Amino acid sequence: MSLTIIPALFVLIALFNRKITTVASEVRDTEGRVYSLVQWAIASVKVVQAFTREEDEYHRFMGASRASLDATLKLYNWQDLLFRRRQRRHRRRHAIVIYAGGRAVMNGSLTIGQLIIFISYLAQLYVPVNQITQSWG
């Protein structure tokens, strides 16, 4: 019962991973544009100054920076949404295990000590699973 959540986690991550990959590519592209503008501006600072185009270059840089910031915030929002969904599933899983374990304790088929040990072992098992899902997501 406690391991049934793992396949659901991987399905959830696979669904989100498509969108996150697309948005992450957008972030890399917009950051690349910002770095290109900075490199060009540094390399041609004398030309820009000679033609008094500082204001134009400032506006170009700020526009590219805003686009990069917007793309980065969009990526963070998608990653945060994935994290919140994963956390919700973890809380549900814990609730189900505690409920089923509590019923087993009430029926006498499990002692409270066994339930506590099982829950602590389960928590240790989910640490690597959580790390894998975070890395993948």
Side-chain angles (χ1 to χ4, degrees):
M1 178 187 343
S2 57
L3 296 177
T4 58
I5 193 73
I6 292 174
L9 278 175
F10 285 110
V11 168
L12 176 71
I13 290 168
L15 293 174
F16 272 82
N17 199 35
R18 289 184 200 136
K19 184 64 177 177
I20 288 174
T21 301
T22 303
V23 175
S25 294
E26 182 183 334
V27 168
R28 283 191 300 274
D29 291 345
T30 57
E31 285 178 350
R33 279 187 231 120
V34 170
Y35 298 144
S36 295
L37 281 173
V38 169
Q39 181 183 10
W40 182 87
I42 289 173
S44 59
V45 68
K46 297 219 184 265
V47 174
V48 170
Q49 288 174 341
F51 291 100
T52 61
R53 305 298 291 181
E54 294 94 342
E55 191 73 24
D56 294 336
E57 291 306 315
Y58 170 78
H59 289 297
R60 269 189 1 161
F61 175 76
M62 290 307 291
S65 292
R66 280 189 197 98
S68 178
L69 177 62
D70 290 344
T72 301
L73 291 175
K74 186 175 170 183
L75 175 63
Y76 288 153
N77 285 336
W78 277 101
Q79 289 173 334
D80 183 57
L81 182 61
L82 173 62
F83 174 77
R84 284 185 279 133
R85 294 250 173 109
R86 247 189 7 243
Q87 290 302 102
R88 190 178 311 134
R89 287 182 190 265
H90 287 306
R91 285 192 297 273
R92 270 192 236 138
R93 178 200 63 230
H94 284 303
I96 290 169
V97 168
I98 290 171
Y99 175 77
R103 294 203 38 104
V105 168
M106 298 291 272
N107 292 338
S109 59
L110 195 66
T111 67
I112 190 75
Q114 290 171 327
L115 177 61
I116 291 171
I117 288 173
F118 178 77
I119 290 172
S120 64
Y121 283 154
L122 194 60
Q124 290 176 0
L125 170 73
Y126 282 124
V127 169
V129 170
N130 221 4
Q131 289 173 341
I132 289 170
T133 58
Q134 284 176 349
S135 297
W136 189 12

